[in-house]
Amino acid sequence: MSFSNLVSDLAFKDARDDRSSQISHVRSQATARSHTSTAATSVSISGDISSQLHAGYSHPLSRSWQAERQLTKEMLIYPLFITDNPEEETPIPSLPNQYRRGVNRIVPFLKPLIHKGLRSVILFGVPLDPSAKDALGTAADDPSGPVIQTIRLLRSRFPQLYIVTDVCLCEYTSHGHCGILRDDGTLDNAQSVDRISDVALAYAAAGAHCVAPSDMNDGRVRAIKLKLIEAGMAHRVLLMSYSAKFSGCLYGPFRDAAGSCPSFGDRRCYQLPPGGRGLARRAIQRDIAEGADIIMVKPASSYLDIIRDAKDLATDLPVAAYQVSGEYAMIHAAAKAGVFDLKAMAFESTEGILRAGAGIVVTYFVPEFLDWLS
């Protein structure tokens, strides 16, 4: 069923006029706000956009990512869910041992992990206040929002911690999709790319070492890279692209954690179809050409062939893989049932990802690995 039919089948239809009015109003505000930054699409630089290399070795950790080796703490990135309630510390039932935390709870939580060797985190904003969500996700780059506040706090308290920020709109949009929608409910790629690249620029300006667009809109890597160049930040801000991100059921616990379930339809029109190996290869090649510094594959364990393809296509770039919430939850469930030993299964899964060609792993097992690898 098409997006437009899904839209008309739901209560979304009853508020069509109101929603159209809201989109038009907020879109006009966003267009005015980002007018200056959109000029980056016409930036003229010396050489091809993929010639921008300095961000790949401007930080000690990003330099270490350029080498191939066995599993080490430096290869791991830990996902954090940051809410707009500063004091919150709430367990996520579908994601064992993981929490949503407010900005005031982050430093006490991270301090012992950093002492054990934690080197990098990736931040996901989780606005819980319904008023924080609208048709264009305007709260995504709010200076007082959870992500930008956390970037500044971590840069101040843990100067050596490498901060990656997921860049998407799904947590901030009232409809839960990863971009801006047209009136018929389909994705407006051009508007989405413009908005998402502005958000990436805001995170970079706040102090993020790496921006990681996960929306899968066509052309967003180039738009982000050009805006970083125009702002004079491309030499120090790494761009890690979710290049081969497949649709499927393994994201369920994450969507519970982030509150990012679509209010209608699904994401199959912009995430890759399972089995779409050719599309994945094309997406990887596209993002390399548009200036990505790191290529990511997601999910990890179920797409080892794509990780291998990514390493073959991106021969001279680091490859990252995201061991997603569903994979993590299944390993925990199997260990709890006595089918596998948790440590053995976590190592086997992660080492399989590395053998396939990844050199960076985003995983919820980071706290355990900090103990296991000591």
Side-chain angles (χ1 to χ4, degrees), residues 121-144:
V121 296
I122 181 169
L123 306 181
F124 295 90
V126 185
L128 301 177
D129 185 345
S131 66
K133 300 191 179 192
D134 60 32
L136 298 184
T138 53
D141 52 359
D142 183 350
S144 62

Side-chain angles (χ1 to χ4, degrees), residues 9-194:
D9 283 345
L10 298 169
F12 186 74
K13 173 189 65 176
D14 299 329
R16 186 183 185 86
D17 292 340
D18 289 342
R19 191 175 73 81
S20 297
S21 176
Q22 181 193 22
I23 289 176
S24 297
H25 174 68
V26 185
R27 180 178 291 162
S28 64
Q29 291 181 323
T31 301
R33 185 186 63 250
S34 62
H35 176 74
T36 301
S37 58
T38 56
T41 57
S42 62
V43 167
S44 177
I45 60 172
S46 177
D48 188 82
I49 195 168
S50 61
S51 68
Q52 304 295 299
L53 303 181
H54 287 180
Y57 51 96
S58 66
H59 188 279
L61 186 61
S62 64
R63 285 197 290 276
S64 75
W65 285 345
Q66 309 300 324
E68 297 181 14
R69 59 200 181 283
Q70 297 299 309
L71 177 61
T72 65
K73 296 177 182 180
E74 288 78 12
M75 304 171 77
L76 304 172
I77 301 176
Y78 187 36
L80 297 177
F81 299 100
I82 314 297
T83 78
D84 52 4
N85 176 357
E87 302 299 333
E88 182 169 8
E89 193 163 36
T90 303
I92 303 162
S94 58
L95 206 51
N97 302 330
Q98 307 304 311
Y99 288 72
R100 285 191 295 261
R101 290 183 170 89
V103 66
N104 292 346
R105 301 288 186 172
I106 292 298
V107 169
F109 170 67
L110 289 181
K111 191 172 182 179
L113 297 181
I114 290 173
H115 181 72
K116 292 178 182 180
L118 176 67
R119 297 296 305 276
S120 182
V121 296
I122 181 169
L123 306 181
F124 295 90
V126 185
L128 301 177
D129 185 345
S131 66
K133 300 191 179 192
D134 60 32
L136 298 184
T138 53
D141 52 359
D142 183 350
S144 62
V147 172
I148 290 180
Q149 279 193 329
T150 302
I151 293 170
R152 291 171 175 162
L153 175 66
L154 296 182
R155 287 300 301 263
S156 171
R157 296 298 298 273
F158 305 118
Q160 300 307 312
L161 184 67
Y162 194 85
I163 302 167
V164 183
T165 53
D166 178 81
V167 184
C168 196
L169 300 183
C170 60
E171 301 102 321
Y172 301 92
T173 53
S174 51
H175 44 72
H177 283 283
C178 300
I180 296 171
L181 303 183
R182 297 186 179 90
D183 290 342
D184 64 0
T186 59
L187 197 69
D188 187 326
N189 193 89
Q191 289 278 352
S192 299
V193 165
D194 185 48

Side-chain angles (χ1 to χ4, degrees), residues 185-235:
T186 59
L187 197 69
D188 187 326
N189 193 89
Q191 289 278 352
S192 299
V193 165
D194 185 48
R195 178 79 187 103
I196 286 161
S197 54
D198 278 350
V199 173
L201 190 65
Y203 292 166
H209 297 98
C210 173
V211 291
S214 61
D215 55 288
M216 290 296 288
N217 285 283
D218 288 332
R220 89 276 202 216
V221 170
R222 180 175 176 82
I224 292 170
K225 195 73 165 187
L226 286 169
K227 289 184 181 182
L228 290 173
I229 292 168
E230 186 179 61
M233 292 188 285
H235 67 290

